[in-house]
Amino acid sequence: MRERHINAILLGGLLATALAAWGLDQPFTITLATKVAILALAGVGLNITLGLGGMISLGHAAFFGIGGYAMGILASHAQNYTPLMEAPLLIEGTNSMPVIWLVAIAASALAALVIGALSLRTTGAYFIMVTLAFGQMLYYFAISWPAYGGEDGLSIYVRNGFPGLNTLDPIQFFGLCFVLLCLVLLFVARLGRAPFGLALTAARQVPARVEAVGLSPYRLQLVAFVLSGAITGLAGALFADLNRFVSPAMFSWQTSGEIMVFVILGGVARLCGPVAGAALFILLEHWLGALSEFWHIYLGALLLIVVLFARGGLIGQIAGREAAHD
Amino acid sequence: MSTLLLIEQVLNGLQLGVMLFLMAAGLTLIFGVMGLINLAHGSLYMVGAFAAAAVAAATGSFLLALAASLAAAAAAGAVIELGVIRRLYDRDHLDQVLATFALILVFSEGTRWIFGSFPLFLEVPDYLSGPVTLFGGIQYPLYRLVIILAGLGIAAGLFLLIGRTRIGIQIRAGEADREMIAALGIDITRLYTLVFALGAALAGLAGALVGAIQSVQVGMGEPVLILAFVVIVIGGIGSVKGALVGALLVGLTDTLGRSFLPGLFGLIMEPAAATTVGSALASMAIYILMAGVLLFRPRGLFGVA
């Protein structure tokens, strides 16, 4: 089966699940589908660094959390009618989703620029450890900074609004997240074929040649890291809106690990790998979680099997290895 | 800010440092010899702590508990090396990260399944509890002092093992050129298992020693693992000397930052704001230290350039 067909089936399946649940009046299933779409979006972000760029970032929870807190901070100020800042200029909170998304994207892109600029001075195992450490730094910062709830996190009572939609209606919020996911997928698909994406792929495979033609691998990788962080940040803002709650847990190393698991379960460097991975993860959480309180043992065992024996993830198993990026 | 307090905090920093060294030394050896990044090292720390707590509860002997932590962590290390880890040596880092992340899930949930979610407690034995008076009349907990001395002793032993013994020569040769030492007739597979079990035993011992100060609970290993990563990034991968220097730096920075930064900010700010800013900055101090090292020496202080 061609990867293109699998992608269509995956996205179509997700949409059909949500619509069927809407028709059958099962809001919980719609919420699960929304969660899949949002977590997939976070994975799509990570996949730019991991799949296209070949950089193993174990710190993407940093951007997921920053996106979440961008939403939490803006919405909590709007909710309490207190300005975010008075001098030198007045900045008020907001509960408009588009504004929150822009702030989440900008803030996580900025963080990715700083973290990426430092981390990309290293490669290989160092890069993994450094990104993991910076993620942990933000986790401890979120815990020790009391202004926005500290360890307890922040609750937002009403979901933020989007012009013309009722975001409290599960199917409408799902639609919003699904459209964003599709737009970002479209962007990433084009990015992979654009000169930038090709140069980035080359920088992963043979950095020396990229340098020989006058491109800087460091810059290519940094731009990719920033794009990736921004997308994961957007997913973080949506995730916070889904739960109407943010907490330092969004910054934890487990979150970084889980986002990576979505990408791997689905298939690294596959466009819709994160969609497949996130869907599988949520289904496993739902089914195995009902079977046993200790479902992470089974998840761990499954992950071991995928890594040791079924390389290429779900999409790799169906589409065959030759269609992957390398 | 009295001198007494300063010395006490320096000792606390040393104590954190030597414990981090026990973790980081194993990690850096495993990376240096086998080229493996092992996220599950924190789980071995946890295994050691739980084994010690269980044996101490059953027998009442602290020394037996420590022996159990060494044995259990080394055994767990050998088992995962034989079952999983050795399939990962020739894989890329991504597969190693994922497989060892999967091992964390299995270990953590497995431990929760066996011991339950409530923390266990490991008591410091009577002959090691209570304060001891040091030079200049400083009162310091005897147990923490013993930890510092034990950690430094183990560090010395490790340097002797690596620098002076036949096994050490094989380990160093394995770091330099693993095909050559295989060609010279060293059983490299057994050497790998041995190094992994040694690293695991050190982690397990650290878990047990720290477990007597803090509580023994699921998930205790990973924060320490990440600190050990910071240590390795600062010290340089594969360097045991770097691990020692990095561990002491991180231990001192973290401890001194936490105890003195809020006070320092208090000199220029209102007390409430100073506490907030100071403690937030203290929680990030070691990562800022790491960022500084990355700026000037991306391969770490003792890494090969």
Side-chain angles (χ1 to χ4, degrees):
Chain A
M1 210 187 312
R2 297 287 298 275
E3 192 179 336
R4 213 150 34 97
H5 301 144
I6 304 175
N7 292 349
I9 293 172
L10 273 173
L11 289 171
L14 183 58
L15 183 62
T17 308
L19 287 177
W22 183 45
L24 296 169
D25 195 26
Q26 293 193 322
F28 179 67
T29 310
I30 304 180
T31 306
L32 283 186
T34 315
K35 205 168 162 188
V36 169
I38 295 172
L39 295 179
L41 186 63
V44 170
L46 177 63
N47 210 6
I48 296 179
T49 22
L50 203 63
L52 275 180
M55 301 166 267
I56 306 169
S57 162
L58 205 44
H60 260 54
F63 315 122
F64 197 64
I66 286 175
Y69 270 88
M71 171 275 176
I73 290 171
L74 288 172
S76 75
H77 280 287
Q79 163 175 299
N80 304 329
Y81 301 102
T82 47
L84 200 63
M85 194 165 88
E86 281 175 291
L89 70 169
L90 183 73
I91 299 180
E92 302 221 42
T94 175
N95 43 29
S96 151
M97 275 191 195
V99 179
I100 287 172
W101 295 345
L102 285 178
V103 172
I105 288 173
S108 44
L110 186 68
L113 183 68
V114 176
I115 293 179
L118 282 166
S119 312
L120 283 168
R121 295 175 64 82
T122 66
T123 51
Y126 276 101
F127 186 79
I128 303 171
M129 295 192 264
V130 171
T131 47
L132 181 60
F134 280 126
Q136 190 79 349
M137 173 177 91
L138 289 175
Y139 173 72
Y140 284 128
F141 179 73
I143 284 183
S144 65
W145 193 256
Y148 296 104
E151 205 161 350
D152 300 331
L154 261 178
S155 283
I156 302 301
Y157 304 120
V158 181
R159 188 172 286 156
N160 297 300
F162 188 88
L165 289 180
N166 172 15
T167 51
L168 285 172
D169 180 7
I171 192 71
Q172 296 195 31
F173 186 58
F174 169 80
L176 204 57
C177 297
F178 186 74
V179 168
L180 275 177
L181 174 66
C182 291
L183 287 176
V184 171
L185 281 172
L186 209 62
F187 168 75
V188 173
R190 299 204 58 149
L191 187 78
R193 288 194 299 270
F196 172 78
L198 296 176
L200 184 64
T201 307
R204 182 188 76 222
Q205 291 167 344
V206 211
R209 273 196 192 169
V210 174
E211 252 171 309
V213 297
L215 292 168
S216 153
Y218 177 83
R219 271 200 207 165
L220 288 167
Q221 289 175 335
L222 185 57
V223 172
F225 195 79
V226 170
L227 280 176
S228 158
I231 294 172
T232 303
L234 174 63
L238 290 172
F239 191 71
D241 239 329
L242 175 69
N243 300 325
R244 277 168 268 170
F245 176 65
V246 278
S247 76
M250 283 181 81
F251 280 116
S252 68
W253 65 271
Q254 286 98 333
T255 308
S256 292
E258 278 173 11
I259 300 176
M260 187 175 270
V261 168
F262 305 148
V263 177
I264 306 301
L265 278 182
V268 188
R270 305 284 185 166
L271 181 64
C272 285
V275 183
L280 186 62
F281 186 89
I282 296 295
L283 284 178
L284 285 175
E285 183 177 36
H286 196 59
W287 287 335
L288 292 178
L291 276 181
S292 158
E293 194 189 331
F294 307 104
W295 73 281
H296 275 108
I297 291 189
Y298 304 106
L299 177 69
L302 178 78
L303 200 57
L304 270 180
I305 293 170
V306 169
V307 176
L308 294 179
F309 306 111
R311 304 175 73 182
L314 204 57
I315 296 188
Q317 291 303 305
I318 303 172
R321 275 192 72 73
E322 71 281 1
H325 279 278
D326 60 354
Chain B
M1 209 192 312
S2 68
T3 327
L4 284 185
L5 183 63
L6 181 67
I7 294 175
E8 192 184 329
Q9 293 302 336
V10 167
L11 285 173
N12 282 342
L14 278 179
Q15 182 251 308
L16 176 61
V18 294
M19 288 301 104
L20 284 177
F21 170 73
L22 292 187
M23 281 292 277
L27 274 173
T28 209
L29 270 182
I30 290 167
F31 188 85
V33 178
M34 288 95 105
L36 176 96
I37 174 159
N38 178 23
L39 297 186
H41 212 66
S43 298
L44 299 167
Y45 175 89
M46 177 187 74
V47 165
F50 270 92
V55 168
T59 66
S61 160
F62 189 68
L63 287 177
L64 275 182
L66 288 187
S69 75
L70 280 168
V79 166
I80 61 172
E81 203 276 342
L82 293 170
V84 178
I85 303 284
R86 67 170 41 175
R87 296 169 203 274
L88 298 170
Y89 294 143
D90 49 2
R91 296 290 189 84
D92 57 19
H93 287 321
L94 181 59
D95 285 352
Q96 299 175 348
V97 164
L98 279 163
T100 51
F101 179 73
L103 284 175
I104 295 183
L105 294 179
V106 173
F107 268 110
S108 295
E109 290 303 304
T111 311
R112 205 193 303 279
W113 191 37
I114 298 172
F115 290 96
S117 295
F118 293 103
L120 303 181
F121 291 96
L122 181 59
E123 297 282 336
V124 176
D126 285 338
Y127 52 88
L128 288 179
S129 57
V132 60
T133 310
L134 297 176
F135 54 89
I138 301 163
Q139 297 271 319
Y140 195 71
L142 174 63
Y143 182 71
R144 283 175 182 263
L145 196 67
V146 169
I147 286 191
I148 297 176
L149 295 175
L152 291 176
I154 293 168
L158 201 59
F159 279 110
L160 280 180
L161 176 77
I162 292 171
R164 294 270 182 269
T165 64
R166 200 163 177 82
I167 296 269
I169 293 171
Q170 292 176 0
I171 291 176
R172 279 181 292 143
E175 281 180 327
D177 191 336
R178 68 192 71 167
E179 277 164 20
M180 185 55 86
I181 81 156
L184 289 174
I186 310 288
D187 184 350
I188 190 113
T189 338
R190 229 186 51 203
L191 181 69
Y192 283 0
T193 313
L194 191 75
V195 171
F196 200 87
L198 173 69
L202 290 177
L205 180 65
L209 287 174
V210 174
I213 306 179
Q214 298 161 358
S215 59
V216 174
Q217 56 187 331
V218 173
M220 66 189 286
E222 281 69 36
V224 184
L225 172 83
I226 297 173
L227 283 181
F229 280 162
V230 174
V231 165
I232 291 176
V233 170
I234 290 176
I237 291 186
S239 161
V240 177
K241 190 165 56 166
L244 182 60
V245 174
L248 294 180
L249 266 177
V250 168
L252 287 171
T253 308
D254 193 58
T255 311
L256 296 181
R258 275 177 212 285
S259 37
F260 297 120
L261 272 181
L264 280 182
F265 277 95
L267 300 176
I268 49 169
M269 286 175 151
E270 292 168 48
T275 312
T276 310
V277 175
S279 55
L281 201 62
S283 72
M284 308 199 325
I286 54 165
Y287 305 99
I288 296 169
L289 177 72
M290 178 185 81
V293 170
L294 281 177
L295 275 179
F296 297 104
R297 296 206 53 136
R299 294 257 139 208
L301 296 178
F302 292 87
V304 259

